[in-house]
Amino acid sequence: ANGKSVRKDAAINKALVARTSVLLQQALRTITKLPEEWRDTQTCLSLVDILPGYTENALFQQVGRDVERLYRTEPLTPAADGSLIALDRAWLLDKDEDACRIAGLFKKSLVKQLFHEERGFILPYGLSKRALNRLYGYSVKTMRRADLAMALSRNPTVIQDATDEWLKSLYTVFSDYFSPNSELYPSLCGLPVFRSAKGFLQPAFSPVSGGCWMPRLSRPSKRKNGADPATQLDAALYNANRDFFDNVLHLPA
């Protein structure tokens, strides 16, 4: 099963290995021609999951090289916007991140808007650890959600039409990073990703001297003489994410 007992010097085995490489490449190309509703990330990368360690066995080394070359140079991998791209043009989400949650947030065109690059963005959720490790072994550039947050802070205009559902996903994904000691705390607190009672997206805090942050928004107030709606958080957004605003962001009352 693992090829260790296969005679490496037998002509028939060498021929079978060459034929295996051809068939695998045909299979990989065939998957990309499936109907779009079947051609998700897991399906497109499914054969990576079953590939043995070809590079560990001299007889199968060429098969491994052929498969790697195919993934790196031909459009076989689904990008964030649904197109198929070669891995040489792709980013991969860092394998230690929570890709399932982030997949719902940074799908489609947002990542391309954030980075203004020709690279696509791959969200490898639903794959085995071995498949992920193999993809990362293809020397694909990886990216952390911290990088995405920093990119948002540099180009916040790309989220100007964000829905409340998108904002809720954003708060969920980044909640672990919202702490005074986090490198992301300044960039995220100063992002216009908090909707005011007047309907405008604006930062929750503004930087002041000494590395401190001054609140620009407060929690919704029921008092008739409460704060200006422009400086209060939208009530619906607050109620849907109360724990985040109270216990993570520490938005003042």
Side-chain angles (χ1 to χ4, degrees):
N2 61 16
K4 289 182 178 178
S5 60
V6 178
R7 288 182 54 194
K8 300 178 178 59
D9 56 347
I12 183 63
N13 289 336
K14 291 180 180 179
L16 286 172
V17 167
R19 184 59 181 158
T20 299
S21 177
V22 172
L23 289 173
L24 269 173
Q25 292 177 67
Q26 289 178 355
L28 291 167
R29 294 185 179 107
T30 299
I31 286 177
T32 64
K33 295 179 176 62
L34 292 171
E36 191 172 346
E37 62 268 25
W38 298 350
R39 201 187 64 215
D40 58 10
T41 303
Q42 187 169 2
T43 303
C44 283
L45 299 179
S46 60
L47 288 185
V48 180
D49 198 26
I50 63 172
L51 292 176
Y54 289 128
T55 56
E56 300 168 8
N57 188 306
L59 184 62
F60 296 103
Q61 278 182 357
Q62 189 57 49
V63 183
R65 293 193 187 101
D66 290 343
V67 170
E68 177 179 344
R69 175 194 53 76
L70 201 67
Y71 271 116
R72 293 184 64 168
T73 60
E74 294 192 22
L76 300 174
T77 309
D81 62 359
S83 64
L84 293 172
I85 60 174
L87 284 179
D88 279 347
R89 294 184 54 231
W91 297 93
L92 277 168
L93 191 69
D94 190 287
K95 56 188 173 184
D96 295 324
E97 300 285 7
D98 189 345
C100 287
R101 287 195 299 173
I102 300 175
L105 179 65
F106 290 108
K107 219 164 184 180
K108 298 181 180 176
S109 61
L110 179 59
V111 171
K112 285 191 175 181
Q113 289 176 278
L114 289 174
F115 292 97
H116 299 292
E117 295 196 33
E118 289 300 313
R119 284 178 177 267
F121 193 72
I122 310 304
L123 296 165
Y125 52 96
L127 295 172
S128 72
K129 185 176 181 180
R130 179 171 70 174
L132 287 178
N133 287 339
R134 188 169 300 285
L135 287 177
Y136 287 106
Y138 291 169
S139 302
V140 180
K141 188 165 184 177
T142 59
M143 185 172 294
R144 304 169 302 135
R145 57 178 151 178
D147 299 321
L148 294 172
M150 292 300 182
L152 276 173
S153 66
R154 291 192 300 268
N155 189 17
T157 57
V158 300
I159 50 173
Q160 57 191 350
D161 297 321
T163 64
D164 281 8
E165 194 61 33
W166 190 91
L167 292 172
K168 183 178 180 180
S169 298
L170 180 78
Y171 304 152
T172 301
V173 167
F174 290 113
S175 61
D176 292 340
Y177 290 93
F178 273 89
S179 68
N181 298 322
S182 168
E183 63 177 297
L184 297 186
Y185 188 81
S187 62
L188 291 172
C189 284
L191 273 179
V193 291
F194 306 100
R195 197 183 307 281
S196 73
K198 281 197 170 181
F200 300 110
L201 287 173
Q202 64 182 62
F205 296 84
S206 296
V208 294
S209 60
C212 299
W213 289 82
M214 180 70 70
R216 288 185 59 175
L217 285 174
S218 61
R219 300 175 206 170
S221 173
K222 296 181 179 179
R223 300 194 307 268
K224 290 184 179 180
N225 59 347
D228 185 318
T231 63
Q232 287 190 48
L233 189 69
D234 176 78
L237 193 64
Y238 170 72
N239 289 325
N241 305 275
R242 188 182 291 262
D243 181 68
F244 170 79
F245 287 113
D246 290 354
N247 302 318
V248 180
L249 190 62
H250 301 294
L251 197 68

